[in-house]
Amino acid sequence: MNLPAHPVITIVGGGFAGTALALQLRRQPTLAGAEIHLIEPREAPGPGLAYTARRAEYLLNVRPGALSLYSNEPHHFAQWLARQPENSGGTPEFASRATYGRYLREELATVLAPTAGPAGVQWHCTTAVAAPLQPNGQRAVQLADGTTIASDSVVLALGNFPPPPPAGPDLRYLHHPGFHADPWAAGNLRRIGPDEQVLLIGSGLTSVDVLLALRHDGHQAPITVVARHGRWPAAHEPATAPYPNFYSAMAHETTVNGAVAVFKRELRAAAARGIGWQPVLDALRPDLGRIWAVWPLAEQHRFLQHLAGLWAVARHRSPPENAAAVVALAAAGLMQLHMGTVREILPEGPLLRVRVGPHGEAGSWLTAQHVINCAGPLLDYARIADPLVVSLREAGDLVPDPLRLGLLTDPHGALLDDENRAAPGLFTLGSSRRPAYFESTAVPELRLQAAALAGHLGKS
């Protein structure tokens, strides 16, 4: 397809991925005359869900040096952070997520209309509900406010969706005032009284944040945490020199066992030199997508079944102060961890009864006034009820992958339709591309996706 003289590009989603793409599109010389629209319903585009909460206790779990919006300017965020008045005495090792949200807002503001003039990015504070293909090859992006944008390219930067219901088939608990389906919903945690019983489902980074937020708000009662494997995220160690890349030894391993064997061999070699496991694991990061891609579907499924939980604990680490706070809460008896899976949740007046146990066993019952779902996001696009997703799915333009990790795409991020062809004018980036990369949520990966997609759209 030849690039129109004045292409219209619509980005649906104004979190990190959408922000990075908008900035990269404005850096493309061939798109100087492009009309770019950004659809984001929050009060300000840029931070998205991950970096909106104005809580100082919510920390980034990555050091500033890895969080620049631009891969060719790796110190961009660190330098911005050092210039902030609150950091005159020195920059923090792990900045707050709210601070990072401010960084994203300020960068995006440089290209938003009218600040950036006629070529600026036009922000629509609403949602997109449909994007049907028109006879002329364009997509008619229909917005909830009644606006329609005739677009040559539509990019889905939808981010993560709230966790799915943790138990069934009786779903009455979803309507109980004590059930919190989305831990990030504005004001959600502040509805909880200081002495009320709380149960968290999951022990990942979200659960850590919720624990710290409740304590910050003055919650005093012991908190129960239910987690399948009973593991908390590992703590970051002090920054060290990087471990040598060993992708060449991993490149042709087409089985999980083979890849694990290579990894264990590197662990032993590192230990012999007094190097811990963290740098060894981090050395894999630039090549994770390539390692994942050579595994057959059955091996990818095997990894998800047996190792994904352990990988998440080791790979997505917690700032040291957060990890120490969790240990202190447990030691003081203010947090109790139960291993098991939530099998059933039943309303009982003002309380919720939660059955926890392994598959096929009755398990035990726990009771709380509030149950907060801190499990991972809903990845299965066959179950996502967002109107835009539903309409594209029903049209055959959007196809969930077999492992239900995200969407089927081509190497450029174009959505594949139900006949495995690139759906005209439809692209995606971010967490929806997990099927291609396995990990597709962190800043270093997303900024590369944004730059590559902007370059591709500038050549189309």
Side-chain angles (χ1 to χ4, degrees), residues 22-42:
L23 291 165
Q24 290 292 344
L25 288 172
R26 277 294 166 235
R27 291 184 165 202
Q28 298 296 314
T30 57
L31 296 176
E35 182 181 315
I36 301 174
H37 298 265
L38 181 66
I39 317 301
E40 173 52 58
R42 294 181 178 86

Side-chain angles (χ1 to χ4, degrees), residues 23 69-70 76 102-111:
L23 291 165
L69 268 163
Y70 315 102
H76 191 272
R102 192 167 82 239
Y103 164 69
L104 298 178
R105 281 198 306 272
E106 290 185 11
E107 282 300 297
L108 185 59
T110 64
V111 298

Side-chain angles (χ1 to χ4, degrees), residues 209-388:
D209 281 342
V210 170
L211 272 174
L212 298 182
L214 287 170
R215 290 303 170 198
H216 184 271
D217 290 346
H219 191 268
Q220 299 171 5
I223 295 172
T224 300
V225 178
V226 175
R228 182 180 173 191
H229 297 296
R231 303 187 188 101
W232 291 101
H236 275 285
E237 295 291 319
T240 60
Y243 187 79
N245 183 283
F246 56 97
Y247 172 69
S248 59
M250 189 82 78
H252 303 295
E253 294 293 343
T254 59
T255 67
V256 173
N257 287 343
V260 169
V262 172
F263 180 64
K264 287 182 175 179
R265 188 166 66 238
E266 293 295 330
L267 285 178
R268 290 191 294 271
R273 296 160 53 191
I275 299 172
W277 61 266
Q278 292 91 341
V280 181
L281 187 144
D282 292 342
L284 290 173
R285 182 168 184 171
D287 304 298
L288 285 175
R290 293 196 290 176
I291 294 168
W292 171 260
V294 300
W295 292 351
L297 196 64
E299 289 297 310
Q300 292 178 348
H301 183 254
R302 190 190 316 280
F303 177 85
L304 294 174
Q305 275 193 314
H306 301 292
L307 289 177
L310 186 60
W311 170 265
V313 167
R315 168 69 183 81
H316 301 286
R317 294 168 218 150
S318 192
E321 54 264 57
N322 286 8
V326 171
V327 172
L329 287 171
L334 295 173
M335 185 275 296
Q336 299 171 344
L337 182 62
H338 286 257
M339 264 174 85
T341 301
V342 172
R343 299 297 178 188
E344 193 173 2
I345 303 177
L346 296 177
E348 193 173 86
L351 303 176
L352 288 163
R353 297 180 65 231
V354 181
R355 183 166 64 87
V356 178
H359 183 70
E361 296 184 18
S364 58
W365 287 92
L366 304 172
T367 302
Q369 290 161 282
H370 296 271
V371 173
I372 306 175
N373 191 4
C374 300
L378 176 58
L379 309 178
D380 183 359
Y381 271 75
R383 299 170 59 192
I384 289 170
D386 175 82
L388 176 61

